[in-house]
């Protein structure tokens, strides 16, 4: 990084910034008392024990983080470096790290002698005058003098006296004058013009000083602006025309290396190259950097260079070169004619083998064949367009397959490649795919199979496609992938069918639903085969891997061989220890699928159990050597894994403990005929006698009987005599439940609440005022995203026991109004009435005493909710976490964004919020209990609440995010490793698969109550790109003569936009069951994703063509839903709220019906307007219209005003287009563009005014909808950041950002391209008149009352001012030259008495003085 960037930003205060502050308080509690009396007079609470240590972390400042693209790249590189150091420690040995490296190393790549003059902080050279002479290709180390070295050893580099030390050099290239004051202390690229010693030739030479940070020091490369990168695995030798017009070698570039072109050769000389291989000549055409750059700018194909072979009959060596322009951090001198290019030498063609088999390639006339193993890439140096490429698969399915293709330009990105083979004399074909990419600057071809079919069933399978003609067989013993294709149909929707052995064909199913899984059924006479199907992509994202496994798998995790069989059959299957056995049920019914287990060759069989229901059970084995078999059933949509384990401690269903002194316990399974007796002071392990029966335990003690499903913790009491009571308690111990009966109350309480009663080791409280994250692309100098977590407004709370609960918003507002009234009276010195105040409804309070008297007596307080709040409490056996995020909002900070706010909560209607307490955007509550002698965690309570939200995204925002986080493309070695990962995955045996290993090994936790709230999202999406859209331009060029196609295309564009469609995903809940973390994650994803797929029809109804009629229907339906849902909720909360809910429902129905009716008309007319806008073929008009239509009117008045303006704009744009469109076309495409422009102008005359009429209607109806809606428009949390011309990201200053926003919006961005914002000052108190200062002019702007646009009232460049503006008693005076006065002869909004100037009155003298100073600064810099 060239400058320090503020990752944690300082806090903006009046007059500057101060550091962000975090307060941490730690308190150790020595007193372990047992609590105190409750505030309502109840008895001592045993749970109120202070923690051993209390930690409070808080901040009253908003924590603002700024992450730039450079910062993200730096962190990524650091992480990669640490990872590499961990993976390859030998590469970072101590001997290498201990080597001494000079702090500065200078290298000369200029091809000429250079004299270096080090700065004063460096040791003097032994040469004359203290200078260093570097010959061409030489290098020299620089060391600081002793005093500086001592200073560096004592103080931090961040200190001012060190960082400002001038570490500079001067250089003099042979034949040129010296260049002074070149800083080398930071990594940067600096560009300098060189002045020749003799004469003033036409060529202006330049040098680049490239400072690179490496090995803890700086390497300074002195080079020309022209570099060449060799991306081929052979050394390339460079040539230039020397003396006598003969080619002379100017150096070599190593394979996959970078070289510098000498200074003289870089200017005006054509270059030549050849590979350092025997027999090849220099290329037959000159390599001109300027010509290659012009070729790239025009969008044409790269030039191919040919190196002939000395002997005839051998294929030439071909390579291509493309140019990238280099940017510099600092430029001194002229840049326009410098050859500032990086030339990439590349092959013409590269072939990559993404097949699971070996491939052999041969090029026409080439002497050698290339062998490509799976995942390998090889460059074809003898390949050129027009030549034939032959490809062979030498041994796939015991046949040789061959294909031939003619290489040509303009190949489709995805196309088919037909391979042929012979079975006897019959020709058979296979259609594989070829993916062609030009991203690397050459034709990169990857051959792939659309599908890899993996057969792990152990049975022969056959596949057939949609056409039912080609059948592909997959033998049971063939472990490699079968490459399946659908004939010539490479793209589009495709379905396949399965056949197993002699079964019927299955129903057709899609192979393209990546990430999905399910079960396919194949029926035969005797058996129904169920096959699990799972589809995922390879790492190359071209091939879909379809894995077929048996639906039922039996895994023996015990230490003996077991046998399994379906109930009522005598066919037993042996499963050895560690084996995973495919199991094919023969039962016809799939509801009750029962299995029995026994030891191998044993006659003692367990009771049958249901193996298609998830859970765990202990099977009782009548053999005392075995005792029991623990069965774990893992059921998913594509596999049922039956895991058999040896008995272990804790595997029993329940442990019964009779702790009573003399009374026996009678127990049995419900519906069981046999009773069991447990004597006093005894314990027993029990499991179900009939695993398929009703799993409920019934017990009887004395005269009391009861039933227990043994699912959850419980507690109860009953009489065992007139004076004695017995207590029963149910609790979890590991994976085993314990049911205890005791007469000792203390023991029962401790067993039930062991975790709750113990003292907490730590109690941590976190409270942050707010949090902000700014993502800045410092390369494009724009802020992309601002994410803010904000605190609430004033909240009133009442005391309930030891906790504070929020009051309803209606009550809170009434209290706040009264509080403000009292504060106002106090500030004015007026008396305040003491005693109680009766507020809205039955609310009676004493604000001075902070007490509520009615509807209940309690304390009240005035507070707020911080942006982030969390409470963490941990003890030996329990963990508690409660966290809240008050409000989350994500803003799109790009200037041309369609949706300024990307994500924000949807506030409830005011009628609803008034009668409810405020809720955070996200709230998480977890309570987990840890057992004494087990690793199994018991999650007693897990609840996550997420409020309703808007998600509004446009294509430009997505592109900017992708550009922000773009990563380097994988190298060939990395691509090979990814391919090997795919192969390793498909070669795993069933017992080693992820699902089986998960079922066998991972620990399971018990979830008493897990609840994830419903998710409700209002989704809007626009394909509009905030930048220029070259794709649209090319499409329009291609279809300019097809009006019908253009009309269809415009409909297609609007079809892809989505506006305000709603996804309602129901809550996810699990209770009283064991899960692994992977199982729970898989079930949660499946729950929400399946609902999202079911609701995909919303996207169809929400399409923009029909004006989103779903929005209208939803509006009415939502009202009906309120009537159905809110009264139900009210009834649960209390009878008084039932009527309130009914009233809220009626009000909601009215609001949604009116709003929905207006909105549907607005969207229908808006759709027509978009179609006509596309017909104009004018990108600029379409962008203006889209931006205007997305600025939603606040009310009906503004809607009509904007609509009227759109109508006028349509007529003006249409008429002016007759002239402007031909001129634009001629500038862009010459004569052909002129005639295209004439056509566009004529179409625009009709389309633009018509579109304006429709937009007027749309804006008016949208205004009606805005008036009917209850919610308020969400605004950006803060204006987009200003990044100055130097590109340095500085701490955020709100005033700068606000001024920059006004500058961007002035006259719709008129000055963005020509000027840079410098400063601004608000002139009037209503903030509607602003004086803008740029680097070129001063502009007086005013904000329109109705539309809110910033309009220029007058503007003067600094050259038009007679003298700098000056401050007087009346305001700021601008004196204008005569020529300026003639150009701007109108009085303006703020005109003085003199016709030769302007007077801007300002009431705030400090602001006036400050802005005058800024104008003087800007004028001074402009004249330098």
């Amino acid at each position: 990084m060239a400058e320090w960037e503020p990752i944690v930003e300082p806090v903006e205060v009046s007059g500057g910034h101060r550091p962000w502050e975090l307060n941490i308080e730690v308190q150790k509690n020595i007193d372990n008392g047992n609590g105190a009396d409750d505030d309502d007079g109840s008895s001592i609470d045993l749970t109120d024990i202070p923690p051993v240590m209390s930690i409070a972390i808080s901040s009253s400042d908003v924590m603002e983080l700024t992450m730039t693209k450079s910062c993200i790249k730096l962190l990524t590189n650091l992480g990669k470096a640490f990872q590499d150091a961990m993976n390859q420690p030998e590469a970072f040995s101590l001997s290498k790290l201990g080597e001494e490296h000079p702090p500065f190393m200078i290298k000369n790549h200029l091809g000429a002698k250079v004299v270096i003059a080090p700065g004063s902080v460096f040791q003097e050279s032994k040469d004359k005058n203290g200078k260093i002479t570097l010959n061409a290709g030489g290098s020299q180390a620089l060391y600081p003098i002793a005093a500086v070295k001592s200073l560096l050893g004592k103080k931090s580099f961040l200190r001012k006296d060190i960082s400002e030390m001038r570490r500079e050099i001067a250089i003099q290239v042979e034949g040129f004058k010296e260049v002074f004051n070149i800083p080398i202390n930071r990594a940067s690229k600096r560009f300098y013009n060189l002045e020749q010693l003799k004469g003033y030739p036409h060529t202006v030479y330049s040098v680049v000083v490239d400072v690179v940070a490496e090995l803890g020091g700086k390497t300074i490369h002195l080079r020309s602006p022209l570099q060449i990168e060799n991306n081929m695995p052979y050394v390339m030798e460079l040539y230039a025309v020397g003396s006598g017009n003969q080619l002379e070698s100017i150096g070599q570039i190593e394979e996959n290396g970078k070289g510098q072109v000498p200074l003289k050769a870089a200017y005006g000389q054509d270059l030549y190259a050849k590979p350092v291989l025997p027999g090849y000549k220099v290329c037959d055409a000159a390599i001109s950097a300027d010509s290659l750059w012009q070729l790239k700018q025009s969008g044409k194909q790269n030039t191919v260079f040919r190196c002939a072979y000395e002997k005839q009959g051998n294929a030439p060596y071909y390579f291509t070169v493309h140019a990238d322009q280099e940017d510099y951090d600092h430029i001194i001198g002229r840049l326009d004619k410098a050859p500032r290019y990086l030339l990439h030498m590349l092959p013409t063609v590269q072939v990559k083998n993404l097949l699971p088999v070996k491939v052999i390639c041969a090029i026409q006339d080439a002497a050698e064949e290339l062998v490509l193993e799976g995942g390998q890439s090889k460059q074809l140096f003898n390949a050129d367009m027009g030549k034939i490429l032959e490809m062979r698969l030498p041994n796939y399915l015991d046949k040789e397959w061959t294909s031939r293709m003619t290489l040509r330009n303009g190949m489709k990105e995805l196309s088919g490649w037909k391979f042929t083979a012979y079975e006897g004399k019959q020709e058979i074909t296979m259609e594989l795919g070829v993916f062609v990419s030009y991203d690397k600057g050459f034709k990169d071809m990857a051959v792939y199979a659309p599908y890899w079919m993996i057969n792990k069933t152990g049975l022969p399978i056959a596949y057939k496609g949609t056409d039912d003609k080609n059948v592909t067989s997959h033998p049971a013993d063939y472990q490699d992938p079968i490459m399946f294709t659908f004939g010539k149909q490479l793209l589009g929707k495709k379905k396949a069918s399965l056949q197993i052995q002699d079964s019927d064909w299955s129903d057709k199913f899609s192979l393209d639903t990546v990430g999905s899984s399910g079960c396919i059924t194949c029926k035969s006479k005797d058996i129904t085969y169920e096959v699990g199907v799972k589809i995922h992509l390879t790492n190359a994202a071209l091939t879909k891997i379809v894995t077929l496994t048996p639906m039922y798998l039996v895994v023996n995790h015990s230490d003996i061989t077991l046998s399994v069989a379906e109930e009522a059959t005598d066919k037993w299957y042996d499963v050895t220890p560690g084996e995973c056995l495919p199991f094919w049920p023969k039962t016809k019914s799939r509801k009750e699928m029962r299995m029995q287990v026994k030891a191998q060759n044993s006659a003692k069989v367990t009771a049958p159990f249901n193996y298609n229901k998830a859970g765990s059970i202990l099977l009782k084995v009548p053999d005392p050597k075995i005792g029991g078999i623990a069965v774990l059933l893992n059921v998913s949509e594509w596999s049922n894994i039956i895991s058999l384990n040896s008995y272990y401690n804790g595997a029993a269903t329940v442990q019964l403990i009779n702790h009573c002194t003399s009374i026996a316990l009678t127990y049995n399974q419900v519906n069981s005929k046999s009773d069991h007796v447990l004597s006093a002071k005894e314990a027993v392990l029990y499991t179900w006698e009939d695993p398929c029966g009703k799993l409920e335990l019934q017990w009887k003690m004395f005269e009391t009987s009861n039933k227990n499903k043994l699912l959850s913790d419980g507690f109860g009491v009953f009489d065992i005599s007139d004076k004695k009571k017995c207590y029963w308690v149910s609790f979890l111990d590991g994976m085993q439940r314990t049911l205890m009966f005791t007469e000792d109350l203390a023991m029962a309480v401790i067993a039930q609440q062991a975790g709750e009663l113990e003292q907490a080791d730590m109690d941590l409280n976190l409270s942050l005022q707010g949090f902000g994250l700014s993502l800045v692309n410092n390369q494009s100098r724009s802020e992309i995203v601002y994410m803010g977590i904000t605190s609430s407004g004033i909240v009133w709370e009442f005391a309930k026991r030891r906790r504070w609960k929020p009051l309803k918003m209606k009550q809170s507002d009434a209290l706040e109004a009264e509080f403000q009234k009292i504060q106002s009276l106090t500030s004015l010195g007026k008396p305040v009435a003491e005693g109680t105040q009766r507020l809205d409804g039955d609310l009676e309070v004493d604000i001075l005493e902070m007490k509520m008297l009615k509807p209940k007596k309690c304390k009240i307080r005035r507070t707020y909710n911080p942006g982030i709040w969390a409470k963490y409490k941990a003890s030996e056996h329990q963990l508690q976490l409660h966290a809240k995020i008050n409000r989350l909002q994500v803003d799109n900070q790009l200037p041309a964004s369609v949706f300024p706010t990307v994500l924000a909560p949807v506030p409830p209607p005011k009628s609803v919020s008034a009668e409810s307490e405020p809720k955070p955007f996200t709230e998480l509550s977890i309570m987990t209990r840890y057992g004494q002698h087990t690793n199994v965690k018991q999650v007693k309570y897990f609840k996550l609440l997420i409020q309703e939200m808007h998600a509004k995204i446009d294509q430009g925002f997505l592109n900017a995010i992708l550009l922000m986080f773009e990563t380097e493309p994988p190298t060939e070695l990395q691509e090979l490793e990814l391919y090997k990962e795919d192969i390793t995955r498909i070669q795993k045996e069933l017992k080693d698969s992820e699902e089986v290993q998960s079922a066998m090994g991972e620990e399971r936790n018990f979830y008493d109550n897990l609840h994830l709230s419903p998710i409700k999202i209002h989704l809007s999406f626009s394909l509009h790109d905030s930048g220029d859209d070259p794709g649209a331009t090319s499409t329009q060029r291609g279809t300019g003569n097809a009006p019908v196609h253009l009309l269809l295309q415009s409909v297609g564009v609007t079809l892809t936009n989505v506006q305000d469609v709603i996804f309602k995903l129901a809550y996810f809940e699990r209770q009283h069951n064991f899960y692994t973390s992977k199982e729970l994650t898989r079930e949660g994803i499946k729950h929400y994703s399946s609902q999202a797929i079911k609701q995909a029809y919303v996207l169809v109804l929400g399409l923009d063509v029909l004006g989103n009629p779903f929005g209208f229907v939803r509006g009415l339906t939502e009202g009906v839903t309120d009537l159905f849902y809110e009264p139900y909720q009210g009834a649960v909360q209390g009878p008084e709220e039932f009527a309130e809910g009914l009233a809220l429902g009626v009000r909601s129905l009215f609001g949604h019906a009116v709003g929905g009716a207006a909105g549907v008309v607005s969207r229908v007319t808006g759709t027509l307007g978009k179609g006509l806008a596309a017909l104009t073929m004018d990108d600029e008009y379409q962008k203006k219209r889209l931006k205007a239509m997305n600025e939603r009117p606040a009310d009906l008045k503004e809607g009509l005003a904007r609509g009227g303006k759109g109508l006028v704009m349509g007529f003006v744009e249409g008429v002016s287009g007759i002239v402007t469109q031909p001129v634009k076309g001629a500038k862009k495409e010459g004569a052909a563009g002129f005639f295209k422009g004439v056509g566009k102008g004529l179409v625009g005359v009709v389309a633009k005014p018509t579109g304006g009429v429709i937009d007027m209607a749309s804006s008016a109806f949208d205004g009606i909808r805005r008036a009917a809606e209850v919610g308020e428009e969400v605004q950006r949390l803060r204006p987009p950041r200003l990044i100055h011309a130097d590109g340095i990201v500085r701490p955020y200053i709100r005033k700068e950002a606000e001024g920059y926003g006004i500058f961007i919006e002035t006259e719709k961005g008129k000055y963005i391209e020509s000027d840079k914002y410098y400063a601004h000052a608000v002139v009037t108190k209503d903030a509607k008149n602003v004086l803008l200062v740029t680097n070129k002019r001063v502009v007086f702007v005013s904000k329109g009352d109705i539309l809110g646009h910033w309009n220029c009232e007058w503007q003067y460049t600094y050259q038009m001012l007679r003298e700098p503006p000056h401050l007087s008693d009346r305001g700021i005076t601008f004196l204008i030259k005569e020529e300026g006065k003639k150009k701007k002869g109108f009085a303006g909004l703020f005109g003085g008495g003199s016709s030769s100037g302007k007077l801007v009155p300002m009431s705030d003298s400090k602001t006036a003085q400050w802005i005058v100073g800024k104008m003087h600064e800007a004028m001074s810099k402009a004249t330098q």
Side-chain angles (χ1 to χ4, degrees), residues 1046-1063:
L1046 243 177
L1047 182 59
L1048 293 175
Q1049 180 190 341
S1050 69
V1051 174
V1053 169
T1054 55
L1055 277 172
T1056 54
N1057 290 334
V1058 173
Q1059 183 178 355
D1060 195 29
V1061 297
I1062 292 185
F1063 281 85

Side-chain angles (χ1 to χ4, degrees), residues 821-839:
K821 179 181 175 182
I822 293 174
Q823 289 290 100
S824 178
L825 292 173
T826 304
S827 64
L828 296 174
K830 296 182 178 180
V832 178
E834 297 184 359
T836 63
Q837 296 91 29
R838 188 175 183 83
L839 304 180

Side-chain angles (χ1 to χ4, degrees), residues 23 86 192 372 607 673 687 763 783 852 868 1008 1137 1265:
N23 303 315
M86 293 291 292
Y192 297 90
L372 280 79
K673 296 180 181 179
T687 190
D763 187 353
E783 186 177 38
M852 180 192 291
I868 299 175
D1008 268 303
E1137 294 177 324
R1265 177 171 173 81

Side-chain angles (χ1 to χ4, degrees), residues 1313-1334:
E1313 297 295 331
S1314 59
D1315 293 38
K1316 300 293 182 185
Y1317 168 84
Y1318 198 81
H1320 82 288
V1322 177
V1323 176
T1324 54
K1325 291 183 179 180
D1326 61 3
K1328 290 187 176 182
N1329 295 283
V1330 172
L1331 195 63
L1332 273 177
V1333 181
T1334 77

Side-chain angles (χ1 to χ4, degrees), residues 132 179 193 515 555-556 585 682 707 785 926 977 1098 1240 1382 1387:
I132 304 168
V179 180
N193 284 158
V555 183
N556 185 1
E682 289 187 358
K707 296 179 181 179
V785 180
I926 304 174
E977 290 301 318
V1098 172
K1240 289 182 181 181
K1382 290 177 183 178

Side-chain angles (χ1 to χ4, degrees), residues 815 844-853 856 858-860:
L815 279 168
E844 192 172 316
V845 296
D846 185 344
I847 290 185
L848 296 178
E849 295 294 329
M850 284 293 177
K851 289 182 179 180
M852 180 192 291
L853 303 175
K856 64 177 73 174
C858 60
K859 294 179 181 179
I860 57 174

Side-chain angles (χ1 to χ4, degrees), residues 46-282:
L46 296 177
T47 62
D48 191 18
I49 305 174
V52 175
M53 181 180 291
S54 300
I55 303 174
I57 302 174
S58 63
S59 177
S60 57
D61 301 326
V62 177
M63 183 182 188
E64 299 282 3
L65 298 184
T66 298
M67 300 292 288
T68 64
K69 186 173 182 178
S70 297
C71 179
I72 293 171
K73 186 176 180 180
L74 174 67
L75 295 176
T76 303
N77 291 339
L78 278 174
K80 185 176 181 297
F82 282 119
Q83 186 66 37
D84 291 343
M86 293 291 292
N87 295 338
Q88 299 176 338
E90 67 280 357
F92 299 87
S93 61
L94 291 176
S95 60
K96 289 187 178 182
L97 293 175
E99 294 175 4
E100 183 179 356
H101 299 281
F104 297 93
M105 174 68 73
I106 303 178
K107 295 185 177 182
N108 178 13
H109 307 283
L110 292 169
K113 187 187 300 181
V114 179
V115 177
I116 311 292
S120 59
V121 300
F122 296 106
Q123 295 177 5
E124 291 188 7
S125 169
K126 296 178 182 179
D127 294 359
K128 277 186 178 183
N129 302 321
K131 296 185 178 181
I132 304 168
T133 300
L134 273 183
N135 292 321
S139 60
Q140 176 67 45
L142 291 182
Y143 293 91
I145 58 177
V148 174
K149 190 182 294 184
S150 173
L151 192 64
L152 295 177
K154 293 180 180 178
K155 296 185 179 181
S156 166
F157 269 101
L158 297 181
R159 289 182 62 91
K160 188 175 181 181
D161 50 359
I162 301 258
S163 61
E164 291 185 354
M165 245 185 334
R166 302 183 68 82
R167 283 162 281 176
E168 299 176 338
I169 61 171
I171 64 171
Q172 183 177 11
V173 184
E174 186 177 18
F176 299 90
K177 292 184 179 180
E178 192 170 11
V179 180
F180 298 95
N181 302 329
I182 303 174
I184 59 172
N185 57 316
R186 289 180 177 171
S188 63
K189 290 182 184 177
R190 294 174 175 266
F191 176 92
Y192 297 90
N193 284 158
L194 297 176
E195 186 179 348
Q196 296 203 27
L197 290 172
K198 296 181 180 179
Y200 188 76
H202 177 69
T203 303
V204 178
Y205 290 90
S206 303
V207 64
V208 176
V209 181
D210 192 353
V211 183
V212 180
E214 54 187 7
L215 297 174
K218 305 288 191 302
T219 303
I220 300 96
H221 300 274
L222 306 179
R223 59 175 176 85
S224 74
L226 184 61
Q227 300 180 91
I228 298 182
E229 187 176 71
N230 177 17
N231 293 281
M232 297 179 288
Y234 300 112
V235 178
M236 298 294 289
E237 188 159 10
L238 295 179
Y239 294 85
V241 179
S243 58
N245 290 329
Q246 297 295 317
L247 290 180
E248 296 179 355
S249 174
I250 58 172
Q252 292 183 346
I253 307 177
E254 297 298 319
E255 62 271 19
N256 298 313
K258 184 187 289 186
Q260 323 296 334
V261 178
L263 183 64
K264 291 294 179 70
Y267 282 85
Q269 294 190 27
D270 290 333
L271 304 177
Y272 295 83
K274 78 175 189 70
V276 183
L277 293 171
Y280 285 105
K281 300 179 182 179
V282 173

Side-chain angles (χ1 to χ4, degrees), residues 130 277 371 409 580 671 763 893 976 1146 1173 1261 1285 1331:
L277 293 171
V371 178
N409 288 321
C580 180
N671 299 329
D763 187 353
Q893 300 291 80
L976 181 59
V1146 172
F1261 279 116
L1331 195 63

